[in-house]
Coordinates of all heavy atoms in Angstrom, one line a residue:
M1320 N -9.5 -12.6 -17.9 CA -9.7 -11.3 -17.4 C -9.9 -10.3 -18.5 O -10.4 -9.2 -18.3 CB -8.5 -10.9 -16.5 CG -8.6 -10.5 -15.1 SD -10.0 -10.5 -14.1 CE -9.7 -9.1 -13.2
K1321 N -9.4 -10.6 -19.7 CA -9.4 -9.6 -20.8 C -10.8 -9.4 -21.3 O -11.1 -8.4 -21.8 CB -8.5 -10.1 -21.9 CG -7.1 -9.8 -21.7 CD -6.3 -10.0 -23.0 CE -4.9 -9.4 -22.8 NZ -4.2 -9.2 -24.0
K1322 N -11.7 -10.4 -21.2 CA -13.1 -10.3 -21.7 C -14.0 -9.6 -20.8 O -15.1 -9.3 -21.2 CB -13.6 -11.7 -22.1 CG -12.8 -12.3 -23.2 CD -13.4 -13.7 -23.5 CE -12.5 -14.3 -24.6 NZ -13.0 -15.5 -25.1
L1323 N -13.6 -9.3 -19.6 CA -14.5 -8.6 -18.6 C -14.5 -7.1 -19.0 O -13.5 -6.5 -19.3 CB -14.0 -8.8 -17.2 CG -14.2 -10.2 -16.6 CD1 -13.6 -10.2 -15.2 CD2 -15.6 -10.6 -16.5
P1324 N -15.7 -6.5 -18.8 CA -15.8 -5.0 -19.0 C -15.0 -4.3 -17.9 O -14.8 -4.8 -16.8 CB -17.2 -4.7 -18.9 CG -18.0 -6.0 -19.0 CD -17.0 -7.0 -18.6
N1325 N -14.6 -3.1 -18.2 CA -13.8 -2.3 -17.2 C -14.6 -2.0 -16.0 O -14.0 -2.0 -14.9 CB -13.4 -0.9 -17.9 CG -12.1 -1.1 -18.7 OD1 -11.4 -2.0 -18.6 ND2 -11.9 -0.1 -19.6
A1326 N -15.9 -1.9 -16.0 CA -16.7 -1.6 -14.8 C -16.6 -2.8 -13.9 O -16.5 -2.6 -12.7 CB -18.1 -1.3 -15.2
V1327 N -16.6 -4.0 -14.4 CA -16.5 -5.2 -13.6 C -15.2 -5.3 -13.0 O -15.0 -5.7 -11.8 CB -16.9 -6.5 -14.5 CG1 -16.7 -7.7 -13.6 CG2 -18.3 -6.4 -15.0
K1328 N -14.1 -5.0 -13.7 CA -12.8 -5.1 -13.2 C -12.6 -4.1 -12.0 O -12.1 -4.4 -11.0 CB -11.8 -4.7 -14.3 CG -11.6 -5.8 -15.3 CD -10.6 -5.3 -16.4 CE -10.6 -6.3 -17.5 NZ -9.7 -5.9 -18.6
W1329 N -13.2 -2.9 -12.2 CA -13.1 -1.9 -11.1 C -13.9 -2.3 -9.9 O -13.6 -2.0 -8.8 CB -13.5 -0.5 -11.6 CG -12.4 0.2 -12.4 CD1 -12.3 0.3 -13.7 CD2 -11.1 0.7 -11.8 NE1 -11.1 0.9 -14.0 CE2 -10.4 1.1 -12.9 CE3 -10.6 0.7 -10.5 CZ2 -9.1 1.7 -12.7 CZ3 -9.4 1.3 -10.3 CH2 -8.6 1.8 -11.4
L1330 N -15.1 -2.9 -10.2 CA -15.9 -3.4 -9.1 C -15.2 -4.4 -8.3 O -15.2 -4.4 -7.0 CB -17.2 -3.9 -9.6 CG -18.2 -4.4 -8.6 CD1 -18.7 -3.2 -7.8 CD2 -19.4 -5.0 -9.3
I1331 N -14.5 -5.3 -8.9 CA -13.7 -6.3 -8.2 C -12.6 -5.7 -7.4 O -12.4 -6.0 -6.2 CB -13.1 -7.4 -9.2 CG1 -14.2 -8.2 -9.8 CG2 -12.1 -8.3 -8.5 CD1 -13.8 -9.0 -11.0
I1332 N -11.9 -4.7 -8.0 CA -10.8 -4.0 -7.3 C -11.3 -3.3 -6.0 O -10.8 -3.4 -4.9 CB -10.1 -3.1 -8.2 CG1 -9.3 -3.8 -9.3 CG2 -9.2 -2.1 -7.4 CD1 -8.7 -3.0 -10.4
V1333 N -12.5 -2.6 -6.2 CA -13.1 -1.9 -5.1 C -13.5 -2.8 -4.0 O -13.3 -2.6 -2.8 CB -14.2 -1.0 -5.6 CG1 -15.1 -0.5 -4.4 CG2 -13.7 0.1 -6.4
A1334 N -14.1 -4.0 -4.4 CA -14.5 -5.0 -3.4 C -13.3 -5.5 -2.6 O -13.4 -5.7 -1.4 CB -15.3 -6.1 -4.1
V1335 N -12.2 -5.8 -3.3 CA -11.0 -6.3 -2.6 C -10.5 -5.3 -1.6 O -10.1 -5.6 -0.5 CB -10.0 -6.8 -3.6 CG1 -8.6 -7.1 -3.0 CG2 -10.5 -8.0 -4.4
L1336 N -10.4 -4.0 -2.1 CA -9.9 -3.0 -1.2 C -10.8 -2.7 0.0 O -10.3 -2.5 1.1 CB -9.7 -1.7 -2.0 CG -8.6 -1.7 -3.0 CD1 -8.6 -0.4 -3.8 CD2 -7.3 -1.9 -2.3
A1337 N -12.1 -2.8 -0.2 CA -13.1 -2.7 0.9 C -12.9 -3.8 1.9 O -12.9 -3.6 3.1 CB -14.5 -2.6 0.4
A1338 N -12.7 -5.0 1.4 CA -12.5 -6.2 2.3 C -11.2 -6.0 3.1 O -11.1 -6.3 4.3 CB -12.4 -7.5 1.5
M1339 N -10.1 -5.5 2.4 CA -8.9 -5.3 3.1 C -9.0 -4.2 4.2 O -8.5 -4.3 5.3 CB -7.8 -4.9 2.1 CG -7.3 -6.0 1.3 SD -6.2 -5.5 0.0 CE -4.9 -4.8 0.9
A1340 N -9.8 -3.1 3.9 CA -10.0 -2.1 4.9 C -10.8 -2.6 6.1 O -10.5 -2.3 7.2 CB -10.7 -0.9 4.2
A1341 N -11.8 -3.4 5.8 CA -12.6 -4.0 6.9 C -11.7 -4.8 7.8 O -11.8 -4.8 9.0 CB -13.7 -4.8 6.3
L1342 N -10.8 -5.6 7.2 CA -10.0 -6.5 8.0 C -9.0 -5.6 8.8 O -8.7 -5.9 10.0 CB -9.2 -7.5 7.1 CG -10.0 -8.6 6.6 CD1 -9.2 -9.4 5.6 CD2 -10.5 -9.5 7.7
T1343 N -8.5 -4.6 8.2 CA -7.6 -3.7 8.9 C -8.2 -3.1 10.1 O -7.7 -3.0 11.2 CB -7.1 -2.5 8.0 OG1 -6.4 -3.1 6.9 CG2 -6.1 -1.6 8.7
F1344 N -9.5 -2.6 10.0 CA -10.2 -2.0 11.1 C -10.5 -3.0 12.2 O -10.5 -2.8 13.4 CB -11.5 -1.3 10.6 CG -11.2 0.0 10.0 CD1 -11.4 0.3 8.7 CD2 -10.7 1.1 10.8 CE1 -11.2 1.5 8.1 CE2 -10.4 2.3 10.2 CZ -10.7 2.5 8.8
A1345 N -10.8 -4.3 11.8 CA -11.1 -5.3 12.7 C -9.9 -5.7 13.5 O -10.0 -5.9 14.8 CB -11.7 -6.6 12.0
V1346 N -8.8 -5.8 12.9 CA -7.5 -6.1 13.6 C -7.1 -5.0 14.5 O -6.7 -5.2 15.7 CB -6.4 -6.4 12.6 CG1 -5.0 -6.5 13.3 CG2 -6.7 -7.7 11.9
N1347 N -7.3 -3.7 14.1 CA -7.0 -2.6 14.9 C -7.9 -2.5 16.1 O -7.4 -2.2 17.2 CB -7.1 -1.3 14.1 CG -6.6 -0.1 14.8 OD1 -5.7 -0.2 15.6 ND2 -7.1 1.1 14.5
D1348 N -9.1 -2.8 16.0 CA -10.1 -2.8 17.1 C -9.7 -3.8 18.1 O -9.7 -3.6 19.3 CB -11.5 -3.0 16.6 CG -12.5 -3.0 17.7 OD1 -12.5 -2.0 18.5 OD2 -13.3 -4.0 17.8
R1349 N -9.4 -5.0 17.6 CA -9.0 -6.1 18.5 C -7.7 -5.8 19.2 O -7.5 -6.0 20.4 CB -8.9 -7.4 17.7 CG -8.6 -8.6 18.6 CD -8.6 -9.9 17.8 NE -8.3 -11.0 18.7 CZ -7.7 -12.1 18.4 NH1 -7.3 -12.2 17.1 NH2 -7.4 -13.0 19.3
A1350 N -6.7 -5.2 18.5 CA -5.4 -4.9 19.1 C -5.6 -3.8 20.2 O -4.8 -3.8 21.1 CB -4.4 -4.5 18.1
S1351 N -6.5 -2.9 20.0 CA -6.7 -1.8 20.9 C -7.3 -2.3 22.3 O -7.2 -1.6 23.3 CB -7.5 -0.7 20.3 OG -8.8 -1.2 20.1
R1352 N -7.9 -3.5 22.3 CA -8.5 -4.0 23.5 C -7.5 -4.9 24.3 O -7.9 -5.4 25.3 CB -9.8 -4.8 23.2 CG -10.9 -3.8 22.7 CD -12.2 -4.6 22.5 NE -12.2 -5.1 21.2 CZ -12.4 -6.4 20.8 NH1 -12.6 -7.3 21.8 NH2 -12.4 -6.8 19.6
V1353 N -6.3 -5.1 23.8 CA -5.4 -6.0 24.5 C -4.7 -5.2 25.6 O -4.2 -4.1 25.3 CB -4.3 -6.6 23.5 CG1 -3.3 -7.3 24.2 CG2 -5.0 -7.4 22.4
D1354 N -4.6 -5.8 26.8 CA -3.9 -5.1 27.9 C -2.5 -5.5 27.8 O -2.1 -6.6 27.8 CB -4.5 -5.6 29.2 CG -5.9 -5.1 29.5 OD1 -6.2 -4.0 29.0 OD2 -6.6 -5.7 30.2
M1355 N -1.6 -4.4 27.7 CA -0.2 -4.6 27.6 C 0.4 -4.8 29.0 O -0.1 -4.0 29.9 CB 0.5 -3.5 26.9 CG 0.1 -3.3 25.5 SD 0.5 -4.8 24.5 CE 2.2 -4.6 24.4
P1356 N 1.3 -5.7 29.3 CA 1.9 -5.8 30.6 C 2.8 -4.5 30.9 O 3.2 -3.8 30.0 CB 2.8 -7.0 30.5 CG 3.1 -7.2 29.0 CD 1.9 -6.6 28.3
A1357 N 3.1 -4.3 32.1 CA 3.9 -3.2 32.6 C 5.3 -3.5 32.0 O 5.8 -4.7 32.0 CB 3.9 -3.1 34.1
P1358 N 6.1 -2.5 31.7 CA 7.5 -2.7 31.2 C 8.4 -3.4 32.3 O 8.2 -3.1 33.5 CB 8.0 -1.3 30.8 CG 7.0 -0.4 31.5 CD 5.8 -1.1 31.7
D1359 N 9.2 -4.2 31.8 CA 10.1 -4.9 32.8 C 11.3 -4.0 33.0 O 12.1 -3.6 32.1 CB 10.6 -6.2 32.1 CG 11.5 -7.0 33.0 OD1 11.5 -6.7 34.2 OD2 12.2 -7.9 32.5
N1360 N 11.5 -3.6 34.2 CA 12.6 -2.7 34.6 C 13.8 -3.4 35.2 O 14.4 -2.9 36.1 CB 12.1 -1.6 35.5 CG 13.0 -0.3 35.5 OD1 13.8 -0.2 34.6 ND2 12.8 0.5 36.5
T1361 N 14.1 -4.6 34.8 CA 15.2 -5.4 35.3 C 16.5 -4.6 35.2 O 17.3 -4.7 36.2 CB 15.3 -6.7 34.5 OG1 14.1 -7.4 34.6 CG2 16.4 -7.6 35.1
F1362 N 16.8 -4.0 34.2 CA 18.1 -3.3 34.0 C 18.1 -1.8 34.4 O 19.1 -1.2 34.2 CB 18.5 -3.4 32.5 CG 18.6 -4.9 32.1 CD1 17.7 -5.4 31.2 CD2 19.6 -5.7 32.6 CE1 17.8 -6.7 30.8 CE2 19.8 -7.0 32.2 CZ 18.8 -7.5 31.3
G1363 N 16.9 -1.4 34.9 CA 16.9 0.0 35.4 C 16.9 1.1 34.3 O 17.4 2.2 34.5
I1364 N 16.4 0.7 33.1 CA 16.5 1.7 32.0 C 15.3 2.7 32.0 O 15.4 3.7 31.3 CB 16.6 1.0 30.6 CG1 15.4 0.1 30.4 CG2 17.9 0.2 30.5 CD1 15.3 -0.6 29.0
Y1365 N 14.2 2.3 32.7 CA 13.1 3.2 32.8 C 13.3 4.1 34.1 O 13.4 3.6 35.2 CB 11.8 2.4 32.9 CG 11.6 1.6 31.6 CD1 11.6 0.2 31.7 CD2 11.3 2.2 30.4 CE1 11.4 -0.6 30.5 CE2 11.1 1.4 29.3 CZ 11.2 0.0 29.4 OH 11.0 -0.7 28.2
H1366 N 13.2 5.4 33.9 CA 13.4 6.3 35.0 C 12.0 6.5 35.7 O 11.0 6.7 35.0 CB 14.0 7.6 34.6 CG 15.3 7.5 33.9 ND1 16.5 7.2 34.7 CD2 15.7 7.5 32.6 CE1 17.5 7.1 33.8 NE2 17.1 7.3 32.6
V1367 N 12.0 6.4 37.0 CA 10.8 6.6 37.8 C 10.9 8.0 38.4 O 11.8 8.4 39.0 CB 10.7 5.6 38.9 CG1 9.4 5.8 39.7 CG2 10.7 4.2 38.3
T1368 N 9.8 8.8 38.2 CA 9.8 10.2 38.7 C 8.7 10.2 39.9 O 7.8 9.4 39.9 CB 9.4 11.2 37.7 OG1 8.1 10.9 37.2 CG2 10.4 11.2 36.6
N1369 N 9.0 11.1 40.8 CA 8.1 11.2 41.9 C 6.9 12.1 41.6 O 7.0 13.0 41.0 CB 8.8 11.7 43.2 CG 9.8 10.7 43.6 OD1 9.7 9.5 43.4 ND2 10.9 11.2 44.3

């Protein structure tokens, strides 16, 4: 890694960060489409209002 120019090192760093950002957005998009089940009120901890 010592023989690479600084521009190449920064290009690699930017490419890795861009890939991480793309994966983050992909996971966030997928997670936002998951239907969550209704909360289990077995112990009566959730208050129901009229």
